[in-house]
Amino acid sequence: MSAEQGLAVVIGGAAGIGATTAQLMTERGWRVVVADRDEAAGERLAGELDAGFRRIDIAREDDIREAAAAIEERHGRVSGLVVAAAVYQAVVPPRELTLTAWNAVLQVNLTGTFLANREFGSRMAASGGGAIVNIASIAAIGSMPVHAYGTSKAGVVHLTSTLAGAWGRSGVRVNVVTPGSTLVPRVEERIRSGRYAADPAEFTALGRMVRPREVAEVIEFLASSRASAITGQNIVVDAGWQVASTWAQFGGVPGPEGAVDPSAGGD
């Protein structure tokens, strides 16, 4: 049985990486509050984990403020915050990306992350410290045709570093995890339906995609006391996407050393 780690709020915890993180943190001894706009999915997961649930619309300032106060009143001091809530965008040329779509993505992914960090982080700073883990994306560090989404996630990376500086002396650590293509249900469906022009695994050094549990492991570590000297960092969990991308002009990363070329003749 894991020792108690404290109370963690996982925003965007009803599905995807957020849900996997809530599950793992529960296993590791955290008390968890699943926070999400999707009440049905959030309450279902919270029931399975014997966790709390709070409906949160991360894009609404009043909602975040009220939720932080209510969670603290009901469950006690929050020592860990994970911000995994995000919205995506259609892949379109810049001229077809409307201002409405642009604003909608940045409002949730960047402004919403700021609001959640500001509200919960300020409370942590005033009450003895804590740890915040934000979630970005490889779209933040590589050129991709998701202009609003990539920009919003790049903003999250920078925001993380500024908040780490602001709250460090108050005992609050702030880090960001940047996942590569991860096998969450949304991505699995895109692969099955052929919506990707190529297999994302082809563009990683490890020759495979990232598993949600692998991202959750890093998130839980950064939230825990095991990462007590780590703050302001962007931890990339991408199965070597950054490494492999620069090998493309040389024909891609090589296969396993010692592998036998099946086309070669033999005795």
mmCIF file with all atom_site columns, all heavy atoms in Angstrom, residues 114 116-126 129-130 132 160-174 231:
data_model
loop_
_atom_site.group_PDB
_atom_site.id
_atom_site.type_symbol
_atom_site.label_atom_id
_atom_site.label_alt_id
_atom_site.label_comp_id
_atom_site.label_asym_id
_atom_site.label_entity_id
_atom_site.label_seq_id
_atom_site.pdbx_PDB_ins_code
_atom_site.Cartn_x
_atom_site.Cartn_y
_atom_site.Cartn_z
_atom_site.occupancy
_atom_site.B_iso_or_equiv
_atom_site.pdbx_formal_charge
_atom_site.auth_seq_id
_atom_site.auth_comp_id
_atom_site.auth_asym_id
_atom_site.auth_atom_id
_atom_site.pdbx_PDB_model_num
ATOM 1   N N   . PHE A 1 114 ? -3.672  29.105 -17.476 1.00 0.00 ? 114 PHE A N   1
ATOM 2   C CA  . PHE A 1 114 ? -3.271  30.213 -16.606 1.00 0.00 ? 114 PHE A CA  1
ATOM 3   C C   . PHE A 1 114 ? -4.238  30.384 -15.440 1.00 0.00 ? 114 PHE A C   1
ATOM 4   O O   . PHE A 1 114 ? -3.828  30.518 -14.289 1.00 0.00 ? 114 PHE A O   1
ATOM 5   C CB  . PHE A 1 114 ? -3.184  31.515 -17.395 1.00 0.00 ? 114 PHE A CB  1
ATOM 6   C CG  . PHE A 1 114 ? -3.092  32.729 -16.501 1.00 0.00 ? 114 PHE A CG  1
ATOM 7   C CD1 . PHE A 1 114 ? -1.952  32.977 -15.755 1.00 0.00 ? 114 PHE A CD1 1
ATOM 8   C CD2 . PHE A 1 114 ? -4.168  33.608 -16.393 1.00 0.00 ? 114 PHE A CD2 1
ATOM 9   C CE1 . PHE A 1 114 ? -1.878  34.077 -14.916 1.00 0.00 ? 114 PHE A CE1 1
ATOM 10  C CE2 . PHE A 1 114 ? -4.099  34.712 -15.561 1.00 0.00 ? 114 PHE A CE2 1
ATOM 11  C CZ  . PHE A 1 114 ? -2.953  34.950 -14.824 1.00 0.00 ? 114 PHE A CZ  1
ATOM 12  N N   . ALA A 1 116 ? -6.281  28.237 -14.040 1.00 0.00 ? 116 ALA A N   1
ATOM 13  C CA  . ALA A 1 116 ? -6.174  27.137 -13.080 1.00 0.00 ? 116 ALA A CA  1
ATOM 14  C C   . ALA A 1 116 ? -4.891  27.257 -12.258 1.00 0.00 ? 116 ALA A C   1
ATOM 15  O O   . ALA A 1 116 ? -4.900  27.076 -11.034 1.00 0.00 ? 116 ALA A O   1
ATOM 16  C CB  . ALA A 1 116 ? -6.214  25.803 -13.814 1.00 0.00 ? 116 ALA A CB  1
ATOM 17  N N   . ASN A 1 117 ? -3.779  27.566 -12.931 1.00 0.00 ? 117 ASN A N   1
ATOM 18  C CA  . ASN A 1 117 ? -2.513  27.743 -12.222 1.00 0.00 ? 117 ASN A CA  1
ATOM 19  C C   . ASN A 1 117 ? -2.605  28.899 -11.237 1.00 0.00 ? 117 ASN A C   1
ATOM 20  O O   . ASN A 1 117 ? -2.149  28.787 -10.092 1.00 0.00 ? 117 ASN A O   1
ATOM 21  C CB  . ASN A 1 117 ? -1.378  27.999 -13.214 1.00 0.00 ? 117 ASN A CB  1
ATOM 22  C CG  . ASN A 1 117 ? -0.801  26.755 -13.836 1.00 0.00 ? 117 ASN A CG  1
ATOM 23  O OD1 . ASN A 1 117 ? 0.382   26.460 -13.701 1.00 0.00 ? 117 ASN A OD1 1
ATOM 24  N ND2 . ASN A 1 117 ? -1.629  25.994 -14.523 1.00 0.00 ? 117 ASN A ND2 1
ATOM 25  N N   . ARG A 1 118 ? -3.161  30.004 -11.690 1.00 0.00 ? 118 ARG A N   1
ATOM 26  C CA  . ARG A 1 118 ? -3.241  31.189 -10.828 1.00 0.00 ? 118 ARG A CA  1
ATOM 27  C C   . ARG A 1 118 ? -4.050  30.911 -9.578  1.00 0.00 ? 118 ARG A C   1
ATOM 28  O O   . ARG A 1 118 ? -3.630  31.236 -8.450  1.00 0.00 ? 118 ARG A O   1
ATOM 29  C CB  . ARG A 1 118 ? -3.872  32.358 -11.594 1.00 0.00 ? 118 ARG A CB  1
ATOM 30  C CG  . ARG A 1 118 ? -3.887  33.658 -10.806 1.00 0.00 ? 118 ARG A CG  1
ATOM 31  C CD  . ARG A 1 118 ? -4.624  34.748 -11.542 1.00 0.00 ? 118 ARG A CD  1
ATOM 32  N NE  . ARG A 1 118 ? -6.060  34.482 -11.622 1.00 0.00 ? 118 ARG A NE  1
ATOM 33  C CZ  . ARG A 1 118 ? -6.934  35.293 -12.234 1.00 0.00 ? 118 ARG A CZ  1
ATOM 34  N NH1 . ARG A 1 118 ? -6.504  36.396 -12.839 1.00 0.00 ? 118 ARG A NH1 1
ATOM 35  N NH2 . ARG A 1 118 ? -8.213  34.987 -12.265 1.00 0.00 ? 118 ARG A NH2 1
ATOM 36  N N   . GLU A 1 119 ? -5.212  30.274 -9.742  1.00 0.00 ? 119 GLU A N   1
ATOM 37  C CA  . GLU A 1 119 ? -6.095  30.077 -8.597  1.00 0.00 ? 119 GLU A CA  1
ATOM 38  C C   . GLU A 1 119 ? -5.542  29.043 -7.620  1.00 0.00 ? 119 GLU A C   1
ATOM 39  O O   . GLU A 1 119 ? -5.426  29.297 -6.424  1.00 0.00 ? 119 GLU A O   1
ATOM 40  C CB  . GLU A 1 119 ? -7.484  29.654 -9.080  1.00 0.00 ? 119 GLU A CB  1
ATOM 41  C CG  . GLU A 1 119 ? -8.553  29.743 -8.004  1.00 0.00 ? 119 GLU A CG  1
ATOM 42  C CD  . GLU A 1 119 ? -8.735  31.159 -7.464  1.00 0.00 ? 119 GLU A CD  1
ATOM 43  O OE1 . GLU A 1 119 ? -8.691  32.111 -8.251  1.00 0.00 ? 119 GLU A OE1 1
ATOM 44  O OE2 . GLU A 1 119 ? -8.899  31.292 -6.218  1.00 0.00 ? 119 GLU A OE2 1
ATOM 45  N N   . PHE A 1 120 ? -5.194  27.865 -8.134  1.00 0.00 ? 120 PHE A N   1
ATOM 46  C CA  . PHE A 1 120 ? -4.697  26.824 -7.239  1.00 0.00 ? 120 PHE A CA  1
ATOM 47  C C   . PHE A 1 120 ? -3.282  27.139 -6.764  1.00 0.00 ? 120 PHE A C   1
ATOM 48  O O   . PHE A 1 120 ? -2.930  26.897 -5.600  1.00 0.00 ? 120 PHE A O   1
ATOM 49  C CB  . PHE A 1 120 ? -4.737  25.468 -7.946  1.00 0.00 ? 120 PHE A CB  1
ATOM 50  C CG  . PHE A 1 120 ? -6.109  24.872 -8.055  1.00 0.00 ? 120 PHE A CG  1
ATOM 51  C CD1 . PHE A 1 120 ? -6.897  25.120 -9.170  1.00 0.00 ? 120 PHE A CD1 1
ATOM 52  C CD2 . PHE A 1 120 ? -6.619  24.075 -7.046  1.00 0.00 ? 120 PHE A CD2 1
ATOM 53  C CE1 . PHE A 1 120 ? -8.170  24.569 -9.281  1.00 0.00 ? 120 PHE A CE1 1
ATOM 54  C CE2 . PHE A 1 120 ? -7.886  23.515 -7.140  1.00 0.00 ? 120 PHE A CE2 1
ATOM 55  C CZ  . PHE A 1 120 ? -8.665  23.760 -8.260  1.00 0.00 ? 120 PHE A CZ  1
ATOM 56  N N   . GLY A 1 121 ? -2.433  27.682 -7.659  1.00 0.00 ? 121 GLY A N   1
ATOM 57  C CA  . GLY A 1 121 ? -1.061  27.986 -7.277  1.00 0.00 ? 121 GLY A CA  1
ATOM 58  C C   . GLY A 1 121 ? -0.976  29.074 -6.224  1.00 0.00 ? 121 GLY A C   1
ATOM 59  O O   . GLY A 1 121 ? -0.139  29.002 -5.313  1.00 0.00 ? 121 GLY A O   1
ATOM 60  N N   . SER A 1 122 ? -1.816  30.087 -6.317  1.00 0.00 ? 122 SER A N   1
ATOM 61  C CA  . SER A 1 122 ? -1.816  31.153 -5.311  1.00 0.00 ? 122 SER A CA  1
ATOM 62  C C   . SER A 1 122 ? -2.205  30.606 -3.945  1.00 0.00 ? 122 SER A C   1
ATOM 63  O O   . SER A 1 122 ? -1.642  31.005 -2.915  1.00 0.00 ? 122 SER A O   1
ATOM 64  C CB  . SER A 1 122 ? -2.784  32.265 -5.727  1.00 0.00 ? 122 SER A CB  1
ATOM 65  O OG  . SER A 1 122 ? -2.344  32.900 -6.907  1.00 0.00 ? 122 SER A OG  1
ATOM 66  N N   . ARG A 1 123 ? -3.147  29.680 -3.941  1.00 0.00 ? 123 ARG A N   1
ATOM 67  C CA  . ARG A 1 123 ? -3.550  29.049 -2.681  1.00 0.00 ? 123 ARG A CA  1
ATOM 68  C C   . ARG A 1 123 ? -2.412  28.202 -2.116  1.00 0.00 ? 123 ARG A C   1
ATOM 69  O O   . ARG A 1 123 ? -2.169  28.203 -0.905  1.00 0.00 ? 123 ARG A O   1
ATOM 70  C CB  . ARG A 1 123 ? -4.805  28.203 -2.888  1.00 0.00 ? 123 ARG A CB  1
ATOM 71  C CG  . ARG A 1 123 ? -6.067  29.022 -3.115  1.00 0.00 ? 123 ARG A CG  1
ATOM 72  C CD  . ARG A 1 123 ? -7.250  28.149 -3.525  1.00 0.00 ? 123 ARG A CD  1
ATOM 73  N NE  . ARG A 1 123 ? -8.473  28.930 -3.659  1.00 0.00 ? 123 ARG A NE  1
ATOM 74  C CZ  . ARG A 1 123 ? -9.329  29.173 -2.671  1.00 0.00 ? 123 ARG A CZ  1
ATOM 75  N NH1 . ARG A 1 123 ? -9.111  28.651 -1.479  1.00 0.00 ? 123 ARG A NH1 1
ATOM 76  N NH2 . ARG A 1 123 ? -10.404 29.900 -2.869  1.00 0.00 ? 123 ARG A NH2 1
ATOM 77  N N   . MET A 1 124 ? -1.719  27.469 -2.996  1.00 0.00 ? 124 MET A N   1
ATOM 78  C CA  . MET A 1 124 ? -0.567  26.686 -2.537  1.00 0.00 ? 124 MET A CA  1
ATOM 79  C C   . MET A 1 124 ? 0.503   27.596 -1.947  1.00 0.00 ? 124 MET A C   1
ATOM 80  O O   . MET A 1 124 ? 1.091   27.311 -0.898  1.00 0.00 ? 124 MET A O   1
ATOM 81  C CB  . MET A 1 124 ? 0.023   25.903 -3.702  1.00 0.00 ? 124 MET A CB  1
ATOM 82  C CG  . MET A 1 124 ? -0.819  24.759 -4.218  1.00 0.00 ? 124 MET A CG  1
ATOM 83  S SD  . MET A 1 124 ? -0.009  24.000 -5.667  1.00 0.00 ? 124 MET A SD  1
ATOM 84  C CE  . MET A 1 124 ? -1.216  22.754 -6.117  1.00 0.00 ? 124 MET A CE  1
ATOM 85  N N   . ALA A 1 125 ? 0.776   28.698 -2.650  1.00 0.00 ? 125 ALA A N   1
ATOM 86  C CA  . ALA A 1 125 ? 1.823   29.622 -2.205  1.00 0.00 ? 125 ALA A CA  1
ATOM 87  C C   . ALA A 1 125 ? 1.508   30.224 -0.833  1.00 0.00 ? 125 ALA A C   1
ATOM 88  O O   . ALA A 1 125 ? 2.414   30.499 -0.046  1.00 0.00 ? 125 ALA A O   1
ATOM 89  C CB  . ALA A 1 125 ? 2.011   30.730 -3.238  1.00 0.00 ? 125 ALA A CB  1
ATOM 90  N N   . ALA A 1 126 ? 0.224   30.403 -0.559  1.00 0.00 ? 126 ALA A N   1
ATOM 91  C CA  . ALA A 1 126 ? -0.189  30.999 0.706   1.00 0.00 ? 126 ALA A CA  1
ATOM 92  C C   . ALA A 1 126 ? -0.301  29.988 1.832   1.00 0.00 ? 126 ALA A C   1
ATOM 93  O O   . ALA A 1 126 ? -0.432  30.383 2.998   1.00 0.00 ? 126 ALA A O   1
ATOM 94  C CB  . ALA A 1 126 ? -1.536  31.714 0.517   1.00 0.00 ? 126 ALA A CB  1
ATOM 95  N N   . GLY A 1 129 ? 3.020   25.577 0.075   1.00 0.00 ? 129 GLY A N   1
ATOM 96  C CA  . GLY A 1 129 ? 3.641   24.991 -1.104  1.00 0.00 ? 129 GLY A CA  1
ATOM 97  C C   . GLY A 1 129 ? 2.824   23.914 -1.780  1.00 0.00 ? 129 GLY A C   1
ATOM 98  O O   . GLY A 1 129 ? 1.711   23.592 -1.371  1.00 0.00 ? 129 GLY A O   1
ATOM 99  N N   . GLY A 1 130 ? 3.404   23.348 -2.833  1.00 0.00 ? 130 GLY A N   1
ATOM 100 C CA  . GLY A 1 130 ? 2.720   22.322 -3.613  1.00 0.00 ? 130 GLY A CA  1
ATOM 101 C C   . GLY A 1 130 ? 3.426   22.161 -4.948  1.00 0.00 ? 130 GLY A C   1
ATOM 102 O O   . GLY A 1 130 ? 4.506   22.707 -5.179  1.00 0.00 ? 130 GLY A O   1
ATOM 103 N N   . ILE A 1 132 ? 2.631   21.842 -9.318  1.00 0.00 ? 132 ILE A N   1
ATOM 104 C CA  . ILE A 1 132 ? 1.737   21.948 -10.469 1.00 0.00 ? 132 ILE A CA  1
ATOM 105 C C   . ILE A 1 132 ? 2.419   21.310 -11.664 1.00 0.00 ? 132 ILE A C   1
ATOM 106 O O   . ILE A 1 132 ? 3.607   21.536 -11.899 1.00 0.00 ? 132 ILE A O   1
ATOM 107 C CB  . ILE A 1 132 ? 1.398   23.418 -10.784 1.00 0.00 ? 132 ILE A CB  1
ATOM 108 C CG1 . ILE A 1 132 ? 0.665   24.065 -9.606  1.00 0.00 ? 132 ILE A CG1 1
ATOM 109 C CG2 . ILE A 1 132 ? 0.570   23.526 -12.064 1.00 0.00 ? 132 ILE A CG2 1
ATOM 110 C CD1 . ILE A 1 132 ? 0.476   25.558 -9.750  1.00 0.00 ? 132 ILE A CD1 1
ATOM 111 N N   . THR A 1 160 ? 4.657   28.150 -17.797 1.00 0.00 ? 160 THR A N   1
ATOM 112 C CA  . THR A 1 160 ? 5.166   27.297 -16.729 1.00 0.00 ? 160 THR A CA  1
ATOM 113 C C   . THR A 1 160 ? 6.461   27.849 -16.148 1.00 0.00 ? 160 THR A C   1
ATOM 114 O O   . THR A 1 160 ? 6.642   27.894 -14.920 1.00 0.00 ? 160 THR A O   1
ATOM 115 C CB  . THR A 1 160 ? 5.390   25.873 -17.261 1.00 0.00 ? 160 THR A CB  1
ATOM 116 O OG1 . THR A 1 160 ? 4.128   25.302 -17.624 1.00 0.00 ? 160 THR A OG1 1
ATOM 117 C CG2 . THR A 1 160 ? 6.064   24.988 -16.227 1.00 0.00 ? 160 THR A CG2 1
ATOM 118 N N   . SER A 1 161 ? 7.360   28.282 -17.016 1.00 0.00 ? 161 SER A N   1
ATOM 119 C CA  . SER A 1 161 ? 8.653   28.783 -16.523 1.00 0.00 ? 161 SER A CA  1
ATOM 120 C C   . SER A 1 161 ? 8.484   30.077 -15.738 1.00 0.00 ? 161 SER A C   1
ATOM 121 O O   . SER A 1 161 ? 9.174   30.286 -14.729 1.00 0.00 ? 161 SER A O   1
ATOM 122 C CB  . SER A 1 161 ? 9.621   28.987 -17.687 1.00 0.00 ? 161 SER A CB  1
ATOM 123 O OG  . SER A 1 161 ? 9.186   30.024 -18.556 1.00 0.00 ? 161 SER A OG  1
ATOM 124 N N   . THR A 1 162 ? 7.572   30.937 -16.161 1.00 0.00 ? 162 THR A N   1
ATOM 125 C CA  . THR A 1 162 ? 7.393   32.201 -15.438 1.00 0.00 ? 162 THR A CA  1
ATOM 126 C C   . THR A 1 162 ? 6.752   31.968 -14.073 1.00 0.00 ? 162 THR A C   1
ATOM 127 O O   . THR A 1 162 ? 7.128   32.606 -13.086 1.00 0.00 ? 162 THR A O   1
ATOM 128 C CB  . THR A 1 162 ? 6.544   33.197 -16.250 1.00 0.00 ? 162 THR A CB  1
ATOM 129 O OG1 . THR A 1 162 ? 5.220   32.695 -16.424 1.00 0.00 ? 162 THR A OG1 1
ATOM 130 C CG2 . THR A 1 162 ? 7.161   33.467 -17.609 1.00 0.00 ? 162 THR A CG2 1
ATOM 131 N N   . LEU A 1 163 ? 5.806   31.051 -13.986 1.00 0.00 ? 163 LEU A N   1
ATOM 132 C CA  . LEU A 1 163 ? 5.167   30.775 -12.701 1.00 0.00 ? 163 LEU A CA  1
ATOM 133 C C   . LEU A 1 163 ? 6.121   30.064 -11.750 1.00 0.00 ? 163 LEU A C   1
ATOM 134 O O   . LEU A 1 163 ? 6.069   30.275 -10.533 1.00 0.00 ? 163 LEU A O   1
ATOM 135 C CB  . LEU A 1 163 ? 3.900   29.942 -12.916 1.00 0.00 ? 163 LEU A CB  1
ATOM 136 C CG  . LEU A 1 163 ? 2.778   30.644 -13.691 1.00 0.00 ? 163 LEU A CG  1
ATOM 137 C CD1 . LEU A 1 163 ? 1.580   29.705 -13.869 1.00 0.00 ? 163 LEU A CD1 1
ATOM 138 C CD2 . LEU A 1 163 ? 2.337   31.935 -12.995 1.00 0.00 ? 163 LEU A CD2 1
ATOM 139 N N   . ALA A 1 164 ? 6.991   29.226 -12.301 1.00 0.00 ? 164 ALA A N   1
ATOM 140 C CA  . ALA A 1 164 ? 7.997   28.578 -11.460 1.00 0.00 ? 164 ALA A CA  1
ATOM 141 C C   . ALA A 1 164 ? 8.887   29.619 -10.797 1.00 0.00 ? 164 ALA A C   1
ATOM 142 O O   . ALA A 1 164 ? 9.260   29.497 -9.617  1.00 0.00 ? 164 ALA A O   1
ATOM 143 C CB  . ALA A 1 164 ? 8.829   27.603 -12.287 1.00 0.00 ? 164 ALA A CB  1
ATOM 144 N N   . GLY A 1 165 ? 9.244   30.651 -11.549 1.00 0.00 ? 165 GLY A N   1
ATOM 145 C CA  . GLY A 1 165 ? 10.050  31.719 -10.983 1.00 0.00 ? 165 GLY A CA  1
ATOM 146 C C   . GLY A 1 165 ? 9.291   32.540 -9.954  1.00 0.00 ? 165 GLY A C   1
ATOM 147 O O   . GLY A 1 165 ? 9.832   32.934 -8.921  1.00 0.00 ? 165 GLY A O   1
ATOM 148 N N   . ALA A 1 166 ? 8.026   32.766 -10.227 1.00 0.00 ? 166 ALA A N   1
ATOM 149 C CA  . ALA A 1 166 ? 7.216   33.605 -9.341  1.00 0.00 ? 166 ALA A CA  1
ATOM 150 C C   . ALA A 1 166 ? 6.956   32.948 -7.993  1.00 0.00 ? 166 ALA A C   1
ATOM 151 O O   . ALA A 1 166 ? 6.904   33.626 -6.962  1.00 0.00 ? 166 ALA A O   1
ATOM 152 C CB  . ALA A 1 166 ? 5.890   33.940 -10.027 1.00 0.00 ? 166 ALA A CB  1
ATOM 153 N N   . TRP A 1 167 ? 6.778   31.634 -7.981  1.00 0.00 ? 167 TRP A N   1
ATOM 154 C CA  . TRP A 1 167 ? 6.333   30.954 -6.769  1.00 0.00 ? 167 TRP A CA  1
ATOM 155 C C   . TRP A 1 167 ? 7.385   30.072 -6.108  1.00 0.00 ? 167 TRP A C   1
ATOM 156 O O   . TRP A 1 167 ? 7.123   29.438 -5.094  1.00 0.00 ? 167 TRP A O   1
ATOM 157 C CB  . TRP A 1 167 ? 5.108   30.093 -7.092  1.00 0.00 ? 167 TRP A CB  1
ATOM 158 C CG  . TRP A 1 167 ? 3.859   30.873 -7.310  1.00 0.00 ? 167 TRP A CG  1
ATOM 159 C CD1 . TRP A 1 167 ? 3.506   32.065 -6.740  1.00 0.00 ? 167 TRP A CD1 1
ATOM 160 C CD2 . TRP A 1 167 ? 2.769   30.521 -8.166  1.00 0.00 ? 167 TRP A CD2 1
ATOM 161 N NE1 . TRP A 1 167 ? 2.269   32.473 -7.187  1.00 0.00 ? 167 TRP A NE1 1
ATOM 162 C CE2 . TRP A 1 167 ? 1.796   31.538 -8.065  1.00 0.00 ? 167 TRP A CE2 1
ATOM 163 C CE3 . TRP A 1 167 ? 2.523   29.442 -9.014  1.00 0.00 ? 167 TRP A CE3 1
ATOM 164 C CZ2 . TRP A 1 167 ? 0.598   31.502 -8.770  1.00 0.00 ? 167 TRP A CZ2 1
ATOM 165 C CZ3 . TRP A 1 167 ? 1.328   29.404 -9.715  1.00 0.00 ? 167 TRP A CZ3 1
ATOM 166 C CH2 . TRP A 1 167 ? 0.374   30.421 -9.593  1.00 0.00 ? 167 TRP A CH2 1
ATOM 167 N N   . GLY A 1 168 ? 8.582   30.025 -6.670  1.00 0.00 ? 168 GLY A N   1
ATOM 168 C CA  . GLY A 1 168 ? 9.590   29.121 -6.121  1.00 0.00 ? 168 GLY A CA  1
ATOM 169 C C   . GLY A 1 168 ? 9.889   29.353 -4.653  1.00 0.00 ? 168 GLY A C   1
ATOM 170 O O   . GLY A 1 168 ? 9.986   28.405 -3.861  1.00 0.00 ? 168 GLY A O   1
ATOM 171 N N   . ARG A 1 169 ? 10.046  30.603 -4.242  1.00 0.00 ? 169 ARG A N   1
ATOM 172 C CA  . ARG A 1 169 ? 10.382  30.911 -2.853  1.00 0.00 ? 169 ARG A CA  1
ATOM 173 C C   . ARG A 1 169 ? 9.196   30.671 -1.916  1.00 0.00 ? 169 ARG A C   1
ATOM 174 O O   . ARG A 1 169 ? 9.369   30.679 -0.691  1.00 0.00 ? 169 ARG A O   1
ATOM 175 C CB  . ARG A 1 169 ? 10.856  32.363 -2.730  1.00 0.00 ? 169 ARG A CB  1
ATOM 176 C CG  . ARG A 1 169 ? 12.119  32.663 -3.536  1.00 0.00 ? 169 ARG A CG  1
ATOM 177 C CD  . ARG A 1 169 ? 13.334  31.910 -2.983  1.00 0.00 ? 169 ARG A CD  1
ATOM 178 N NE  . ARG A 1 169 ? 14.523  32.114 -3.818  1.00 0.00 ? 169 ARG A NE  1
ATOM 179 C CZ  . ARG A 1 169 ? 15.412  33.084 -3.634  1.00 0.00 ? 169 ARG A CZ  1
ATOM 180 N NH1 . ARG A 1 169 ? 15.245  33.972 -2.659  1.00 0.00 ? 169 ARG A NH1 1
ATOM 181 N NH2 . ARG A 1 169 ? 16.465  33.175 -4.425  1.00 0.00 ? 169 ARG A NH2 1
ATOM 182 N N   . SER A 1 170 ? 8.019   30.443 -2.491  1.00 0.00 ? 170 SER A N   1
ATOM 183 C CA  . SER A 1 170 ? 6.838   30.108 -1.687  1.00 0.00 ? 170 SER A CA  1
ATOM 184 C C   . SER A 1 170 ? 6.623   28.605 -1.613  1.00 0.00 ? 170 SER A C   1
ATOM 185 O O   . SER A 1 170 ? 5.606   28.147 -1.082  1.00 0.00 ? 170 SER A O   1
ATOM 186 C CB  . SER A 1 170 ? 5.591   30.775 -2.286  1.00 0.00 ? 170 SER A CB  1
ATOM 187 O OG  . SER A 1 170 ? 5.708   32.178 -2.276  1.00 0.00 ? 170 SER A OG  1
ATOM 188 N N   . GLY A 1 171 ? 7.565   27.834 -2.166  1.00 0.00 ? 171 GLY A N   1
ATOM 189 C CA  . GLY A 1 171 ? 7.479   26.383 -2.066  1.00 0.00 ? 171 GLY A CA  1
ATOM 190 C C   . GLY A 1 171 ? 6.621   25.713 -3.111  1.00 0.00 ? 171 GLY A C   1
ATOM 191 O O   . GLY A 1 171 ? 6.273   24.540 -2.968  1.00 0.00 ? 171 GLY A O   1
ATOM 192 N N   . VAL A 1 172 ? 6.289   26.442 -4.179  1.00 0.00 ? 172 VAL A N   1
ATOM 193 C CA  . VAL A 1 172 ? 5.453   25.861 -5.235  1.00 0.00 ? 172 VAL A CA  1
ATOM 194 C C   . VAL A 1 172 ? 6.336   25.567 -6.447  1.00 0.00 ? 172 VAL A C   1
ATOM 195 O O   . VAL A 1 172 ? 6.985   26.462 -6.990  1.00 0.00 ? 172 VAL A O   1
ATOM 196 C CB  . VAL A 1 172 ? 4.313   26.822 -5.649  1.00 0.00 ? 172 VAL A CB  1
ATOM 197 C CG1 . VAL A 1 172 ? 3.453   26.188 -6.748  1.00 0.00 ? 172 VAL A CG1 1
ATOM 198 C CG2 . VAL A 1 172 ? 3.456   27.174 -4.437  1.00 0.00 ? 172 VAL A CG2 1
ATOM 199 N N   . ARG A 1 173 ? 6.342   24.307 -6.849  1.00 0.00 ? 173 ARG A N   1
ATOM 200 C CA  . ARG A 1 173 ? 7.070   23.905 -8.050  1.00 0.00 ? 173 ARG A CA  1
ATOM 201 C C   . ARG A 1 173 ? 6.087   23.815 -9.218  1.00 0.00 ? 173 ARG A C   1
ATOM 202 O O   . ARG A 1 173 ? 4.967   23.330 -9.057  1.00 0.00 ? 173 ARG A O   1
ATOM 203 C CB  . ARG A 1 173 ? 7.733   22.536 -7.842  1.00 0.00 ? 173 ARG A CB  1
ATOM 204 C CG  . ARG A 1 173 ? 8.804   22.544 -6.774  1.00 0.00 ? 173 ARG A CG  1
ATOM 205 C CD  . ARG A 1 173 ? 9.499   21.200 -6.612  1.00 0.00 ? 173 ARG A CD  1
ATOM 206 N NE  . ARG A 1 173 ? 8.570   20.137 -6.247  1.00 0.00 ? 173 ARG A NE  1
ATOM 207 C CZ  . ARG A 1 173 ? 8.094   19.208 -7.072  1.00 0.00 ? 173 ARG A CZ  1
ATOM 208 N NH1 . ARG A 1 173 ? 8.455   19.211 -8.357  1.00 0.00 ? 173 ARG A NH1 1
ATOM 209 N NH2 . ARG A 1 173 ? 7.280   18.274 -6.643  1.00 0.00 ? 173 ARG A NH2 1
ATOM 210 N N   . VAL A 1 174 ? 6.519   24.290 -10.386 1.00 0.00 ? 174 VAL A N   1
ATOM 211 C CA  . VAL A 1 174 ? 5.669   24.270 -11.580 1.00 0.00 ? 174 VAL A CA  1
ATOM 212 C C   . VAL A 1 174 ? 6.477   23.701 -12.731 1.00 0.00 ? 174 VAL A C   1
ATOM 213 O O   . VAL A 1 174 ? 7.525   24.246 -13.096 1.00 0.00 ? 174 VAL A O   1
ATOM 214 C CB  . VAL A 1 174 ? 5.159   25.685 -11.954 1.00 0.00 ? 174 VAL A CB  1
ATOM 215 C CG1 . VAL A 1 174 ? 4.067   25.583 -13.026 1.00 0.00 ? 174 VAL A CG1 1
ATOM 216 C CG2 . VAL A 1 174 ? 4.628   26.420 -10.727 1.00 0.00 ? 174 VAL A CG2 1
ATOM 217 N N   . THR A 1 231 ? 11.929  22.260 -10.886 1.00 0.00 ? 231 THR A N   1
ATOM 218 C CA  . THR A 1 231 ? 10.880  23.238 -11.175 1.00 0.00 ? 231 THR A CA  1
ATOM 219 C C   . THR A 1 231 ? 11.241  24.026 -12.428 1.00 0.00 ? 231 THR A C   1
ATOM 220 O O   . THR A 1 231 ? 12.415  24.181 -12.775 1.00 0.00 ? 231 THR A O   1
ATOM 221 C CB  . THR A 1 231 ? 10.638  24.186 -9.986  1.00 0.00 ? 231 THR A CB  1
ATOM 222 O OG1 . THR A 1 231 ? 9.414   24.903 -10.191 1.00 0.00 ? 231 THR A OG1 1
ATOM 223 C CG2 . THR A 1 231 ? 11.784  25.175 -9.793  1.00 0.00 ? 231 THR A CG2 1
#
